[in-house]
Amino acid sequence: MQISSDLVDELAILARYNLSTTQEGIKVHHTASPETIAAIKRLHEKDLVTQDDGGYLTALGIETAEHIQNALTILTSK
């Protein structure tokens, strides 16, 4: 499986979410890069976030972000 730049952008956004609380979301402003804006819209279409400009993680989004963040922890540890 190849990892496209679109997928990398989505992974980067999901890695930013604070998983210690469900009360903290992300807002992607219109001044963000076009790649970031497109990535958050794709995450919304995939039902991983609640709004097309960010918002909160859905239940599926929480599970996905947990896996991504765990993988990043493993891959960046020595």
Side-chain angles (χ1 to χ4, degrees):
M1 169 189 240
Q2 288 190 335
I3 301 176
S4 69
S5 60
D6 284 353
L7 185 55
V8 170
D9 293 339
E10 293 171 22
L11 293 169
I13 290 171
L14 291 171
R16 292 181 184 165
Y17 275 89
N18 179 358
L19 296 176
S20 64
T21 179
T22 58
Q23 301 300 311
E24 188 176 317
I26 289 179
K27 171 75 171 169
V28 176
H29 296 276
H30 70 280
T31 56
S33 72
E35 295 83 9
T36 299
I37 292 170
I40 200 71
K41 287 182 181 193
R42 288 191 304 274
L43 291 172
H44 181 252
E45 290 168 1
K46 294 175 182 179
D47 196 32
L48 297 174
V49 297
T50 59
Q51 301 292 321
D52 68 355
D53 64 351
Y56 301 99
L57 291 169
T58 63
L60 180 59
I62 291 169
E63 183 177 347
T64 304
E66 286 173 345
H67 287 295
I68 290 165
Q69 291 183 23
N70 286 335
L72 288 171
T73 298
I74 292 167
L75 294 171
T76 58
S77 66
K78 293 185 177 185

